[in-house]
Amino acid sequence: MYKGYELPPLIKGKLLKRYKRFLADIELENGEVVTAHCPNSGSMKGCARPGAEAWISQSTNPKRKLKYTWELTRIDGTVIGINTLVPNRLVKASVENDLIPELSGYSRVTSEVKTSEHTRLDLMLEDDNKKPCFVEIKNCTLVENGVASFPDAVTTRGQKHIQELVALAAGGHRAVLFFLVQRTDADTFTPAADIDPEYAEKLMQARLKGVEIIVRDVVFNLDTDPALIRLDRSLNFFSPD
């Protein structure tokens, strides 16, 4: 039985600083300071507090410049997933194990599907008895006062994905934008109009044009071996003011 996406073995420490977008200095419990790859290129607003608990993984690839990867942090009691590769893997595995009711009943799941000359989307779901369903997955880590929002920085790439989904919906396909809130302290979700008003406007228009919005948060289990992350609640979507 599928219990969740397995995280790599985790090493605990605390964050000293995140800098140059892709670097984070972590002090391990034995006092050693290591530089880890930060796999989140966004602003990470509210998620990179110096002194916060942090967990890193260690790569066995000898060709990697940095052998450590920053995986998780904990701020004000809330565990937050840092690795932006996890949402795609988690959502795909959840679809394959029929754990997302809105995306159930498909027999084939393909990753990284080219849908136009310059655009790829994260998943294509197919079944002989259904029209294809295209899914773009977005990692959300910005939460303020119980409200999750995306993006945490202006994203022209994200705007392009919305336009692609709108075109697919107009062509008769299912088109889904899946926001994966990689933390546990949100109750609702809204586009971050204060950060990227154009993205928020395009998203609201896309809903009117047939693009489906799914928002789910996660639950972490750090006490198992390996540690796990799995989908949890559906969050309500509401329009920005």
Side-chain angles (χ1 to χ4, degrees):
M1 178 183 294
Y2 178 75
K3 296 181 179 180
Y5 177 75
E6 295 184 0
L7 297 171
L10 298 173
I11 304 167
K12 190 176 181 180
K14 70 177 179 180
L15 176 67
L16 298 181
K17 62 178 179 177
R18 181 245 187 168
Y19 56 104
K20 295 182 179 179
R21 291 177 66 195
F22 296 107
L23 301 176
D25 287 347
I26 308 290
E27 181 181 341
L28 306 183
E29 291 183 314
N30 63 5
E32 179 185 2
V33 175
V34 301
T35 298
H37 171 63
C38 175
N40 187 328
S41 61
S43 74
M44 291 183 62
K45 182 180 178 182
C47 300
R49 182 187 300 174
E53 292 176 278
W55 287 263
I56 59 177
S57 61
Q58 182 173 350
S59 173
T60 58
N61 182 355
K63 296 182 179 180
R64 274 191 52 160
K65 183 177 180 180
L66 295 173
K67 65 179 179 178
Y68 296 104
T69 299
W70 186 14
E71 301 284 351
L72 306 170
T73 190
R74 178 152 48 202
I75 295 177
D76 297 333
T78 297
V79 177
I80 304 168
I82 301 301
N83 195 332
T84 56
L85 297 177
V86 169
N88 284 25
R89 296 169 179 172
L90 174 60
V91 172
K92 182 181 180 182
S94 298
V95 171
E96 291 172 335
N97 286 276
D98 206 25
L99 297 177
I100 305 174
E102 302 95 323
L103 301 177
S104 64
Y106 292 92
S107 57
R108 298 182 297 279
V109 182
T110 307
S111 299
E112 291 293 320
V113 177
K114 189 172 183 179
T115 53
S116 62
E117 185 177 0
H118 301 292
T119 306
R120 290 179 182 272
L121 296 179
D122 291 319
L123 298 177
M124 179 174 67
L125 316 183
E126 297 176 288
D127 190 82
D128 293 341
N129 300 313
K130 295 176 180 284
K131 58 186 177 182
C133 176
F134 295 89
V135 183
E136 178 64 18
I137 303 161
K138 297 301 182 186
N139 178 60
C140 175
T141 56
L142 175 58
V143 174
E144 295 177 325
N145 300 317
V147 180
S149 54
F150 181 93
D152 65 1
V154 174
T155 173
T156 54
R157 183 169 179 266
Q159 294 172 23
K160 183 180 73 171
H161 288 148
I162 291 177
Q163 293 171 331
E164 189 75 8
L165 290 168
V166 168
L168 288 165
H173 302 295
R174 279 193 75 192
V176 175
L177 194 49
F178 194 116
F179 293 98
L180 193 284
V181 181
Q182 212 183 162
R183 51 191 295 170
T184 60
D185 57 344
D187 299 309
T188 56
F189 174 90
T190 190
D194 57 327
I195 294 175
D196 191 342
E198 188 170 352
Y199 182 91
E201 177 61 25
K202 288 182 183 297
L203 179 59
M204 299 312 298
Q205 290 298 317
R207 289 187 81 202
L208 299 176
K209 296 176 181 178
V211 176
E212 302 170 46
I213 309 295
I214 299 174
V215 187
R216 296 285 291 271
D217 73 353
V218 299
V219 63
F220 295 93
N221 191 336
L222 304 185
D223 296 327
T224 57
D225 186 16
L228 298 170
I229 176 175
R230 59 177 173 82
L231 295 185
D232 195 24
R233 303 171 298 160
S234 295
L235 303 185
N236 290 328
F237 178 100
F238 70 91
S239 304
D241 294 332

